[in-house]
Amino acid sequence: MNQYVVDDAGQTSGFGAYSLTYIGPDLSGVDAPDGVTPGRWWTHYVNSSPVVRAYAAARGVPATPERTTIEVRGHRLIATTEADGVPVIRTTARVGRTGDAVNRGQLRYLTRLDGRLLSGNYPFVAEPVDPFEVESLEFLEPDHPVYALRPADPLEIVWGFYSPRASFACPGGESAIG
């Protein structure tokens, strides 16, 4: 799962400012180009921008109109995803300052469009904060479809980061599978 906000239209190449939360369970046997990072299947893609939703939907992504906010106060970050003004996901994390590390790589997401499987690579570069520790991840609305993917209790975080400075290409390559 990723929750993020693009604050300014100048930070994109034509999409404008928007917020996005997406979820994609890992898939076996369809790794990203690094051969290590598992590919993922988009199950939920909630976005505040009609332009971005149309772009994603044209690639088979299940895009819906919702919004995400991120608030950082001191060392506490709260990311909230809302549907029709109702909070459906809230992540609370302890965050530090941007460190010296740079994360880079490519993510691979698969979708289905018109009966064809599609693969998209999404290169990224991010300067993560240190420390970063997820304190809670809550799926708040049992009636929302994303609730079915709520995390286990107790919560097990495999990996994550927060970066006030991150870039990605959308997508860095697309292809049909099979």
Side-chain angles (χ1 to χ4, degrees), residues 1-163:
M1 180 179 82
N2 284 326
Q3 291 175 291
Y4 67 86
V5 175
V6 178
D7 298 309
D8 184 282
Q11 295 173 305
T12 72
S13 58
F15 284 129
Y18 65 93
S19 67
L20 172 64
T21 294
Y22 64 82
I23 298 175
D26 291 354
L27 301 172
S28 179
V30 287
D31 294 341
D34 66 6
V36 176
T37 305
R40 297 176 177 120
W41 182 269
W42 261 315
T43 60
H44 298 81
Y45 186 98
V46 295
N47 191 289
S48 65
S49 167
V51 172
V52 177
R53 285 194 310 272
Y55 176 88
R59 287 152 178 81
V61 179
T64 59
E66 299 170 25
R67 80 180 196 119
T68 298
T69 58
I70 295 177
E71 297 177 44
V72 179
R73 293 187 184 146
H75 294 285
R76 171 135 322 186
L77 175 144
I78 299 175
T80 306
T81 300
E82 298 178 351
D84 297 320
V86 176
V88 294
I89 301 172
R90 182 173 42 238
T91 304
T92 304
R94 186 174 63 85
V95 298
R97 297 177 50 159
T98 301
D100 296 329
V102 176
N103 294 346
R104 58 180 63 86
Q106 294 185 36
L107 302 175
R108 182 179 187 192
Y109 280 89
L110 283 78
T111 61
R112 182 179 303 278
L113 181 66
D114 298 329
R116 297 179 313 148
L117 284 177
L118 300 177
S119 171
N121 290 326
Y122 298 82
F124 70 91
V125 176
E127 297 173 334
V129 300
D130 186 30
F132 172 77
E133 179 185 345
V134 174
E135 295 175 347
S136 65
L137 174 57
E138 304 166 275
F139 282 52
L140 303 165
E141 183 53 54
D143 293 333
H144 191 276
V146 78
Y147 190 79
L149 295 175
R150 66 194 177 279
D153 187 13
L155 181 62
E156 179 183 335
I157 301 294
V158 177
W159 183 80
F161 72 93
Y162 168 65
S163 175

